[in-house]
Amino acid sequence: MNIARLKSVDLHWREDGDPAGLPVVFANSLGTDLRLWDKIIPLLPASGLRLIRFDKRGHGLSSCPKPPYSMEALCEDAEEFLQQIGVTSCFFVGLSIGGCIGQLLASRRPNLVKGLVLSNSAAKMGTTQMWQERIEHIRAGGMESIADAVLQRWFGDAFRQTDEAILWRNMMTRTPADGYTGCSAALAASDLTASTSKLTLPVLGIGGEYDQASPPDIVRATTQLIPGSRYVEIADAGHLPCVEHPQNYAGHLMTFLKEDLHVGTL
């Protein structure tokens, strides 16, 4: 396990693959930690790619500063973290709030982010009122009070009947309430439409057919803000298609690397 001691937070992170390879940075969704990508990492080449994952503030084994957070703070965490571990150019894969972090980072540091995957993410996710109601719900009843509703948005019906779904529910309910509500406040206050529409880098949008957290239409609409981008949709998947259909998901990542980013040695 690795820890990056940053100015305002300690971030837990992990590295797999080729230390000298192209850095691919994965950013997680709300209520998950870096294990979100456990099924994807083994499906990517062991050579040629430096696969980097981190727990954002208030999640996983990272520290949990007092909320609320801002999207700018989450972006600054990622920027400072990458600088500390020597990443000067990368391919960024962000799911849900991780995609929001990726959008803002690409806008602020175009020389750092050379390609971006917006997975189950959008320039504006939900409404301020929706997020405030969820924050108040957690304050009143804890993380357990939202667990079943979150699982409904995360996964399709078939996956929710599996034993594995219990593990994901446990991961979510064990997320610190301050971390979850802090990031919820960041989403409530964030609308990245203006800055995302000015991006010029290669972008792949990935949607899930049954995603109730980031419905396919809003993922597609955000992707279409960026000239030259493209969108794919994974059938029979909810908000976390990398968990439900990892082979399909990893295939889209590899196609994007080879055809859009022209990484030809993989």
Side-chain angles (χ1 to χ4, degrees):
M1 294 187 290
N2 302 304
I3 197 78
R5 303 293 298 272
L6 309 182
K7 288 181 294 186
S8 57
V9 67
D10 299 331
L11 291 189
H12 169 235
W13 67 284
R14 174 171 175 165
E15 181 175 339
D16 296 278
D18 183 354
L22 168 69
V24 182
V25 180
F26 295 86
N28 314 329
S29 63
L30 185 65
T32 69
D33 60 34
L34 56 71
R35 288 174 291 180
L36 179 66
W37 308 103
D38 276 357
K39 292 182 179 181
I40 301 300
I41 298 300
L43 299 177
L44 301 178
S47 62
L49 297 178
R50 181 186 180 191
L51 306 172
I52 299 163
R53 301 180 267 171
F54 68 97
D55 292 335
K56 62 186 167 293
R57 60 170 61 198
H59 286 67
L61 298 182
S62 292
S63 62
C64 186
K66 184 177 176 60
Y69 311 152
S70 67
M71 197 60 66
E72 288 73 17
L74 294 170
C75 179
E76 287 167 5
D77 291 346
E79 185 175 357
E80 186 183 356
F81 161 62
L82 293 175
Q83 181 179 16
Q84 186 175 118
I85 66 170
V87 173
T88 58
S89 176
C90 69
F91 162 49
F92 198 98
V93 183
L95 195 150
S96 192
I97 190 173
C100 296
I101 295 169
Q103 290 172 67
L104 188 54
L105 185 62
S107 176
R108 290 165 55 114
R109 292 289 307 278
N111 291 331
L112 174 61
V113 182
K114 298 299 187 181
L116 178 63
V117 171
L118 299 179
S119 178
N120 307 82
S121 184
K124 175 63 177 172
M125 296 184 62
T127 65
T128 300
Q129 180 180 353
M130 181 209 81
W131 288 113
Q132 190 57 45
E133 289 174 354
R134 191 179 301 185
I135 290 169
E136 292 171 359
H137 208 93
I138 293 169
R139 287 173 177 167
M143 294 296 293
E144 184 67 31
S145 68
I146 67 167
D148 291 337
V150 168
L151 265 287
Q152 182 82 23
R153 292 187 288 268
W154 275 7
F155 301 120
D157 291 340
F159 190 89
R160 289 201 309 277
Q161 306 309 312
T162 67
D163 289 345
E164 187 179 349
I166 298 171
L167 302 176
W168 290 98
R169 190 183 192 280
N170 290 344
M171 181 187 294
M172 195 279 297
T173 58
R174 293 174 187 178
T175 300
D178 277 355
Y180 193 100
T181 60
C183 288
S184 295
L187 287 166
S190 180
D191 185 343
L192 303 172
T193 303
S195 57
T196 295
S197 63
K198 296 176 183 176
L199 295 176
T200 58
L201 76 170
V203 171
L204 171 67
I206 299 178
E209 181 182 9
Y210 300 127
D211 187 350
Q212 297 180 36
S214 299
D217 286 349
I218 71 167
V219 182
R220 185 186 298 107
T222 293
T223 305
Q224 290 173 346
L225 291 173
I226 306 157
S229 64
R230 58 189 179 89
Y231 170 82
V232 296
E233 191 168 305
I234 297 180
D236 192 31
H239 191 54
L240 307 180
C242 54
V243 174
E244 290 185 275
H245 298 289
Q247 291 278 355
N248 195 350
Y249 195 96
H252 287 305
L253 294 185
M254 288 305 301
T255 297
F256 183 59
L257 279 168
K258 293 177 180 179
E259 296 185 3
D260 297 71
L261 298 181
H262 309 294
V263 180
T265 57
L266 300 177

